[in-house]
Amino acid sequence: MTDIRVLHDEAQFRAHTTVFRRAMHMGPPSDDDWKVVLPSYEPERALAAFDGDEMIGTTQSYGSSLMVPGGAVVPHAAISRVGVRADYTRRGVLTALMREQLSKLPDPVATLRASEGRIYGRFGYGLAGRWRTVEIDAKRAVIPGAMTGRVRMLGQDEADKLLPELHESIGLTRPGHIGRWQGWWVRARDRKSSAENTVTVVHSGPDGDDGFITYKVSTDKDWKHKMSIEDFVCANEDAWRDLWIYVSRVDLVDQIEVDVALDDPVSWLFEDPRVVHTKDIFDEIWLRLVDVPRMLAARTYGPAEPVVIEVRDTLLPANDGRYRVSPDGVERVEDQPDITIPVDLLGAVYFGDTTFSQLVATKRIEGTRLSDADALFAVPRKPFCGTFF
């Protein structure tokens, strides 16, 4: 019988990491690696499945924050290190881990990055946000005009100190953005130290530092140079544009690659929009509404007539019920529903990346008054996180 336990000490944490890495087809952490991994463990947030004394499955959460449509910021659990040993898969181990984790989370919402798209829907996670990977022909990339602020390049020690403070001061500016915890920055510093050519550039406007990027340049077998932008954080449009001007004018770069929101207007920066090419669109945010009433109340809604939505949640039945959603807010009711939806697909529409009409058209849900429902959940900006964990 599978036994789920909360882990408390370093030996358990290291075993947890080893089981997870083996599930991802990697070996156990070296002693040097472990020094960096250990600070990423938080009290009461690492769970493991056991068969007797043998650890067979893992999951973990990090305490964070999340911006929702309308600008509110709510407590958030970033879910990671989910894995089951290969000799114990398809025996209900992952279901037991997910059920225990969700029932004990102190946060009203959780997100994760899915290794496989078919796994997490049955645990109530819905695909709520995607990113667009774009490639830019740097040799033809021309942005007219001059910078309005200035940029400066930082050494690694200075960057390690400044970036967490700057990210915190900029705050969350788009639905889907999350706060970064101390362990995230420890891992980020480690990733930079393992790549000697990682560069950090900070932008300053009239009120001080207001944006930054990190990137590295690699060379292929044909001696073509590709700049990969790994982090791009801005408080305002001027910082965003100035950093793009900097990026487009770095010498000895043939191609620039970066992940952006689906509605990012980067193409319109350039005299020739064709220098920007969409290489791929991929899922980013898998959203789990842990406390449905609280999360429905946290976001704002567009102008439309009220709609009654019936939610079904097999793992957290306290979420089951009917909710009247209107521009004035949300209340629990006993009225006949206009739409019936499982909690994973409610997560999919929550940020506005997917609509009720699309889900009905594809036979994923049933419902009426779809125009009002779509208008209520419509958003002016597509969700994007930009923080990998």
Side-chain angles (χ1 to χ4, degrees), residues 84-297:
V84 176
R85 251 175 48 177
D87 53 343
Y88 277 87
T89 57
R90 296 165 184 83
R91 300 190 196 181
V93 175
L94 185 55
T95 299
L97 279 165
M98 291 287 101
R99 187 186 302 277
E100 182 71 10
Q101 183 178 57
L102 290 170
S103 68
K104 299 293 176 58
L105 277 180
D107 316 289
V109 64
T111 68
L112 55 75
R113 305 294 176 260
S115 56
E116 295 185 55
R118 295 181 61 188
I119 293 176
Y120 292 99
R122 66 182 187 269
F123 307 124
Y125 288 89
L127 173 52
R130 298 166 291 162
W131 69 38
R132 180 166 60 110
T133 300
V134 297
E135 293 179 336
I136 298 168
D137 184 346
K139 296 298 186 183
R140 297 168 47 228
V142 177
I143 299 177
M147 292 186 185
T148 59
R150 67 183 186 89
V151 297
R152 69 185 190 279
M153 190 179 296
L154 303 186
Q156 183 171 315
D157 289 344
E158 187 181 2
D160 290 344
K161 181 180 185 300
L162 177 62
L163 294 195
E165 299 170 357
L166 182 53
H167 187 273
E168 181 72 18
S169 69
I170 290 173
L172 311 182
T173 60
R174 175 190 284 264
H177 279 177
I178 65 173
R180 294 176 177 175
W181 51 98
Q182 181 181 1
W184 189 94
W185 289 106
V186 172
R187 299 304 307 277
R189 287 196 295 271
D190 180 58
R191 284 190 290 270
K192 283 191 294 186
S193 65
S194 66
E196 293 179 359
N197 66 336
T198 296
V199 177
T200 298
V201 174
V202 171
H203 180 270
S204 298
D207 298 321
D209 294 341
D210 56 5
F212 66 88
I213 58 172
T214 64
Y215 66 88
K216 62 182 179 181
V217 177
S218 58
T219 306
D220 67 16
K221 60 183 178 61
D222 296 319
W223 294 100
K224 298 289 186 182
H225 295 81
K226 181 173 81 171
M227 175 190 290
S228 299
I229 300 176
E230 299 175 331
D231 210 358
F232 201 134
V233 176
C234 295
N236 53 64
E237 293 177 355
D238 285 343
W240 174 77
R241 180 178 178 275
D242 281 0
L243 284 169
W244 269 115
I245 290 174
Y246 166 83
V247 163
S248 69
R249 296 176 183 177
V250 175
D251 292 332
L252 300 179
V253 173
D254 299 282
Q255 183 185 77
I256 304 165
E257 183 172 293
V258 63
D259 297 325
V260 299
L262 294 186
D263 58 357
D264 191 294
V266 59
S267 300
W268 295 104
L269 282 171
F270 299 93
E271 289 182 348
D272 180 2
R274 291 184 179 181
V275 302
V276 182
H277 166 71
T278 296
K279 178 182 177 182
D280 197 5
I281 294 176
F282 200 72
D283 55 271
E284 183 191 21
I285 305 169
W286 287 77
L287 183 74
R288 210 315 173 174
L289 303 176
V290 180
D291 185 336
V292 167
R294 180 175 174 182
M295 289 305 298
L296 286 177

Side-chain angles (χ1 to χ4, degrees), residues 308-312 319-323 337-342:
V308 176
I309 300 173
E310 182 173 20
V311 180
R312 295 176 179 172
N319 288 326
D320 286 352
R322 297 171 183 178
Y323 302 86
D338 299 302
I339 295 170
T340 299
I341 191 168

Side-chain angles (χ1 to χ4, degrees), residues 304-381:
E305 291 299 312
V307 172
V308 176
I309 300 173
E310 182 173 20
V311 180
R312 295 176 179 172
D313 189 341
T314 57
L315 283 186
L316 300 177
N319 288 326
D320 286 352
R322 297 171 183 178
Y323 302 86
R324 183 180 183 270
V325 182
S326 76
D328 297 324
V330 178
E331 61 178 335
R332 213 158 187 161
V333 297
E334 297 297 330
D335 301 352
Q336 282 296 112
D338 299 302
I339 295 170
T340 299
I341 191 168
V343 71
D344 62 313
L345 297 183
L346 181 63
V349 300
Y350 185 84
F351 277 136
D353 186 61
T354 300
T355 67
F356 291 95
S357 295
Q358 290 171 326
L359 295 177
V360 169
T362 53
K363 309 297 184 185
R364 299 295 303 277
I365 63 172
E366 295 182 355
T368 59
R369 311 211 27 248
L370 302 177
S371 295
D372 283 321
D374 290 347
L376 285 165
F377 281 76
V379 294
R381 301 180 76 192

